[in-house]
Amino acid sequence: NRIFVDDSLSGCPNLQILHEQVSELDSILAAAGLQLKYIVISGHPPPESASTDGVSVSLLGYNYLSEPDLLAINVSEVNFSKKCRGVKPQNPFPASTPENIERLVYSIPKLTRRLVSAKSAELYDLLGLIE
């Protein structure tokens, strides 16, 4: 199966077949009243609408770098704050180094098992690359 929720992965031997498949998929989706958001092609930069940094896109919870055709683990800054309107408030200081993460952990009044397990559950690894 090459489709997972709203991500579809496929391969083609050449660009002509790719464009034919995209056209066919567009027709099928249009019949259901749907449309593609974007297509990312390996070896090419991602569309502006698909990428926040112009280099990578989110794919199955990973970062996909389309030009070099690489999949990277998507690890964000450690933040124990609760989401407010879908966004976590910023940390009082960047927590991306081991020293700053330790400083952040010690600044939390009550670090619970629930907070720690929720944080570890944020690492989504569908392919099992992290073990």
Side-chain angles (χ1 to χ4, degrees), residues 4-127:
F4 182 77
V5 186
D6 63 348
D7 290 335
S8 174
L9 306 171
S10 185
C12 296
N14 60 52
L15 286 176
Q16 180 184 349
I17 293 173
L18 169 73
H19 292 300
E20 290 171 7
Q21 286 183 354
V22 169
S23 178
E24 186 178 330
L25 183 58
D26 270 334
S27 298
I28 293 168
L29 291 173
L34 303 170
Q35 64 182 23
L36 290 170
K37 286 194 276 183
Y38 52 81
I39 299 281
V40 178
I41 301 171
S42 63
H44 300 276
E48 286 183 27
S49 62
S51 178
T52 56
D53 60 6
V55 177
S56 65
V57 294
S58 178
L59 175 70
L60 301 174
Y62 299 97
N63 283 336
Y64 175 62
L65 295 92
S66 59
E67 285 191 86
D69 196 25
L70 297 173
L71 201 58
I73 296 168
N74 187 7
V75 180
S76 59
E77 178 182 21
V78 175
N79 187 331
F80 286 99
S81 301
K82 289 185 179 182
K83 286 184 178 180
C84 179
R85 296 182 182 215
V87 178
K88 288 186 178 189
Q90 285 188 325
N91 286 322
F93 50 86
S96 50
T97 65
E99 295 80 20
N100 284 345
I101 293 170
E102 184 176 358
R103 186 173 149 211
L104 178 68
V105 166
Y106 283 112
S107 73
I108 298 171
K110 187 176 181 185
L111 185 65
T112 63
R113 282 185 265 177
R114 181 179 182 181
L115 279 174
V116 173
S117 54
K119 179 53 54 192
S120 66
E122 287 180 13
L123 267 176
Y124 184 70
D125 184 20
L126 181 69
L127 302 176

